[in-house]
Amino acid sequence: MYLDKINHQWLTHLKTNGFQELITITNTTKLNVNARLFMLELKLNAKRYHLYHCLDKDIYELRQLDEAYTLISAEEAFGLSLERSKDFWDTVHSFMLQHYDGIQTSVDCRQGLEQAKLAIQKVRL
């Protein structure tokens, strides 16, 4: 139910911001640290990606959900130009400013952020 609702709002937000790509959200989680940090699992054409972003910083990390957990650019993952990838990050940011508090799951980061990311990768593969 939660994913259906957030995806409907997400796809509307994407279209409002000029994106026609059908990039869906398949998972969300807060990363339990001192910042408003989250992971969005995004899916496009049967490939899944984990987007890590802190709402308080202009830092985005995108990883392809595979055994290597490869760092990947939005240009490569979603077929966007460099300029459109910046617009995409802005779109993600503005959407999550509205929806961050609604994320229902969180991951404990007491063992460090990198350990938390590896745990997420393992569970979601």
Side-chain angles (χ1 to χ4, degrees):
M1 180 92 153
Y2 165 75
L3 282 177
D4 291 338
K5 182 177 179 179
I6 199 167
N7 258 306
H8 175 72
Q9 294 169 351
W10 166 247
L11 292 172
T12 299
H13 192 73
L14 279 177
K15 288 179 184 175
T16 299
N17 286 279
F19 292 93
Q20 299 305 314
E21 296 80 4
L22 188 62
I23 303 168
T24 58
I25 296 173
T26 54
N27 195 5
T28 62
T29 192
K30 292 179 184 177
L31 296 166
N32 198 2
V33 292
N34 292 332
R36 295 185 300 165
L37 182 64
F38 64 88
M39 183 278 299
L40 283 182
E41 185 175 280
L42 303 171
K43 184 177 180 181
L44 177 67
N45 299 328
K47 289 187 179 180
R48 293 183 296 161
Y49 305 92
H50 285 172
L51 170 59
Y52 294 93
H53 176 54
C54 177
L55 289 173
D56 301 323
K57 298 180 182 175
D58 191 26
I59 299 170
Y60 298 86
E61 179 180 306
L62 186 63
R63 294 187 173 270
Q64 185 168 333
L65 185 53
D66 56 17
E67 288 294 330
Y69 216 36
T70 309
L71 279 171
I72 192 169
S73 68
E75 299 91 327
E76 187 178 354
F78 307 127
L80 303 173
S81 68
L82 186 58
E83 183 177 307
R84 286 300 284 161
S85 67
K86 173 69 172 116
D87 294 340
F88 181 73
W89 297 140
D90 291 345
T91 299
V92 168
H93 185 83
S94 64
F95 182 79
M96 291 309 296
L97 279 173
Q98 300 171 31
H99 295 278
Y100 177 81
D101 291 332
I103 295 176
Q104 300 175 351
T105 59
S106 64
V107 171
D108 184 0
C109 294
R110 286 182 287 186
Q111 300 299 316
L113 184 56
E114 292 308 312
Q115 282 299 114
K117 290 177 185 179
L118 292 174
I120 291 169
Q121 174 201 19
K122 183 177 178 181
V123 167
R124 296 304 295 170
L125 269 177

